[in-house]
């Protein structure tokens, strides 16, 4: 075998890349792309929002109620 006849190695493809969703409109223009990182960030945001709502409800439940002064409203038509 001649050293000039060496065969080039085939480019390696990454089969563990995950998934990517491309969304196109009717005229085949790319609207947006969803990648795995977008999904992880979405679920992270949902988890943080749920945690904040649970903490907010628990803090509101244990706080003293606001005292409001009674409002004295006279009837619009007083008949004596």
């Amino acid at each position: 075998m001649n050293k000039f006849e060496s065969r080039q190695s085939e480019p390696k493809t990454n089969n563990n890349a995950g998934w990517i969703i491309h969304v196109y409109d009717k005229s085949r223009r790319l609207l947006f792309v969803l990648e795995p990182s977008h999904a992880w960030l979405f679920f992270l945001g949902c988890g943080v929002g749920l945690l904040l709502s649970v903490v907010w409800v628990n803090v509101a439940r244990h706080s003293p109620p606001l005292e409001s002064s009674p409002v004295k409203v006279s009837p619009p038509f007083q008949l004596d």
Side-chain angles (χ1 to χ4, degrees), residues 63-71:
S63 66
L66 297 174
E67 295 293 329
S68 61
S69 61
V71 178

Side-chain angles (χ1 to χ4, degrees), residues 17-28:
W19 50 269
I20 295 177
I21 298 174
H22 297 252
V23 179
Y24 297 92
D25 64 355
K26 290 180 183 178
S27 62
R28 296 185 182 211

Side-chain angles (χ1 to χ4, degrees), residues 36-79:
S37 63
H38 295 131
W40 284 114
L41 287 175
F42 174 75
F43 289 127
L44 180 68
C46 289
V48 169
L50 180 64
L51 180 67
L52 282 174
S53 65
V54 168
V55 168
W56 187 273
V57 167
N58 285 333
V59 168
R61 192 177 290 168
H62 296 298
S63 66
L66 297 174
E67 295 293 329
S68 61
S69 61
V71 178
K72 293 183 179 182
V73 177
S74 61
F77 299 110
Q78 281 186 335
L79 298 175

